[in-house]
């Protein structure tokens, strides 16, 4: 039986590509995609750059994203039920009433505003969030960016969580790491994003059969858990990322991958 779902996401190429991929799944009935706009990153870049490093970084990222997911523009959005809404609309009373009317089996979240209030309580344990980062080690913003800054590529990954009131704190259903086949940050990011999307679809399709109580990562007392905010994304962090890439951190990680990954426990199950 197909799971009837509502997707709550952003409005960039990658977000629309996820909607198209879900629509193409034979095991999912996508009732509605809600695309939220998010002007905050653009404002942050414009207001917090001195030498244009973060501005150039985002411009390059956007071009790579277009290469990977620009095909989503070729699909007639009128054939896929969708709404374009401002940031935060997904937590509004209007959205909650619409969701109640559609009565989905699951709500699927990726890259939207932080869901708050009644929607979490009403649909508790029925909201799956794709967090691009390995919780609880890296939470918040840029969680697959800062491992490059910190020379900690063993913390690259994606976490599929049951959404709760916290930020990236929900119960983990499954986690994956990237299959790295290039040494360029931007291409690693978008190749892995496609990998994460395909795994997400499998999780949605098989949600009813998943173990909802798999063992969570056991964190040692000396483990440094990191939480990043958008303000941490600045010219200096971009400089460090580029310097680390130039100095071969990707190749070093690949050569020692098994050992380094073994020191960072993640939660996985057969999907």
């Amino acid at each position: 039986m197909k799971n009837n779902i509502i997707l709550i996401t952003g409005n960039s190429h990658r977000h629309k590509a996820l909607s198209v991929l879900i629509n193409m799944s034979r095991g999912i009935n996508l009732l509605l995609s809600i695309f939220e706009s998010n002007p905050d990153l653009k404002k942050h870049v414009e207001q917090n750059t001195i030498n244009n490093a973060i501005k150039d970084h985002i411009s390059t990222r956007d071009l790579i994203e277009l290469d990977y997911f620009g095909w989503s523009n070729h699909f007639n959005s009128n054939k896929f039920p969708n709404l374009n809404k401002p940031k935060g609309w997904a937590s509004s009373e209007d959205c909650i009433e619409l969701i109640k009317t559609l009565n989905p089996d699951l709500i699927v979240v990726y890259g939207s505003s932080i869901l708050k209030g009644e929607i979490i309580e009403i649909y508790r344990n029925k909201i799956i969030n794709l967090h691009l980062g390995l919780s609880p080690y890296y939470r918040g913003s840029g969680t697959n960016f800062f491992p490059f800054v910190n020379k900690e590529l063993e913390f690259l990954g994606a976490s599929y969580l049951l959404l709760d009131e916290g930020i990236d704190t929900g119960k983990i259903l499954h986690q994956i790491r990237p299959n790295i086949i290039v040494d360029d940050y931007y291409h690693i990011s978008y190749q892995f994003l496609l990998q994460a999307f395909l795994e997400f679809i499998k999780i949605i399709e098989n949600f009813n059969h998943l173990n909802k109580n798999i063992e969570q990562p056991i964190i040692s007392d000396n483990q440094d858990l990191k939480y990043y905010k958008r303000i941490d994304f600045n010219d200096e962090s971009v400089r460090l990322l580029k310097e680390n890439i130039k100095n071969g951190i990707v190749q070093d990680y690949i050569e020692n991958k098994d050992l380094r990954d073994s020191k960072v426990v993640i939660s996985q199950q057969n999907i």
Side-chain angles (χ1 to χ4, degrees), residues 68-246:
Y68 274 84
F69 296 121
W71 51 262
S72 62
N73 294 328
H74 298 296
F75 288 81
N76 184 351
S77 61
N78 293 327
K79 294 184 178 181
F80 303 122
N82 67 88
L83 292 173
N84 291 284
K85 293 293 182 179
K87 178 183 177 182
W89 189 80
S91 297
S92 69
E93 290 186 10
D94 288 343
C95 181
I96 292 170
E97 290 305 313
L98 175 60
I99 291 173
K100 287 179 180 177
T101 300
L102 294 174
N103 191 29
D105 299 309
L106 298 170
I107 297 174
V108 176
V109 179
Y110 163 64
S112 69
S113 61
I114 297 172
L115 296 192
K116 301 176 182 178
E118 187 180 7
I119 187 171
I120 295 177
E121 187 57 41
I122 294 174
Y123 293 95
R124 189 171 297 279
N125 296 325
K126 292 186 177 182
I127 307 177
I128 316 173
N129 178 41
L130 166 54
H131 166 61
L132 289 175
L134 291 183
S135 291
Y137 307 105
Y138 272 72
R139 296 170 41 236
S141 179
T143 43
N144 276 339
F145 168 86
F146 286 103
F148 285 90
V149 176
N150 298 330
K151 302 181 184 179
E152 295 182 329
L153 302 194
E154 59 270 29
F155 290 97
L156 294 176
S159 302
Y160 304 91
L161 312 169
L162 289 174
L163 200 71
D164 65 9
E165 289 83 357
I167 298 176
D168 308 325
T169 58
K171 182 180 289 185
I172 298 169
L173 294 174
H174 187 56
Q175 293 178 306
I176 61 172
R177 287 188 165 102
N179 298 320
I180 297 178
I181 57 176
V182 292
D183 60 3
D184 173 79
Y185 162 78
Y186 301 99
H187 287 88
I188 289 172
S189 297
Y190 281 101
Q191 286 179 1
F192 178 55
L193 186 55
L194 182 55
Q195 178 189 342
F197 283 173
L198 296 178
E199 194 77 358
F200 202 14
I201 289 169
K202 288 167 57 179
I203 287 171
I204 298 166
E205 290 174 335
N206 296 291
F207 181 80
N208 295 333
H209 305 292
L210 295 182
N211 178 1
K212 311 303 191 301
N213 294 297
I214 65 169
E215 186 174 351
Q216 305 294 285
I218 299 173
I219 308 303
S220 62
D221 293 338
N222 61 353
Q223 178 68 57
D224 180 21
L225 303 182
K226 296 179 173 68
Y227 176 74
Y228 287 99
K229 297 181 179 180
R230 181 160 287 155
I231 194 64
D232 298 311
F233 174 60
N234 52 40
D235 291 334
E236 176 62 11
S237 62
V238 170
R239 185 193 69 78
L240 286 171
L241 176 143
K242 291 183 176 180
E243 180 180 288
N244 292 340
I245 293 288
K246 183 179 179 180

Side-chain angles (χ1 to χ4, degrees), residues 40-71:
D40 292 355
L41 178 58
K42 183 178 179 180
K43 290 179 182 177
H44 171 77
V45 169
E46 291 173 348
Q47 296 172 2
N48 292 277
T49 188
I50 297 173
N51 60 17
N52 286 331
I54 56 175
K55 185 176 181 180
D56 293 343
H57 176 85
I58 294 299
S59 295
T60 301
R61 187 204 69 172
D62 289 347
L63 288 173
I64 301 297
E65 180 173 326
L66 183 61
D67 282 344
Y68 274 84
F69 296 121
W71 51 262

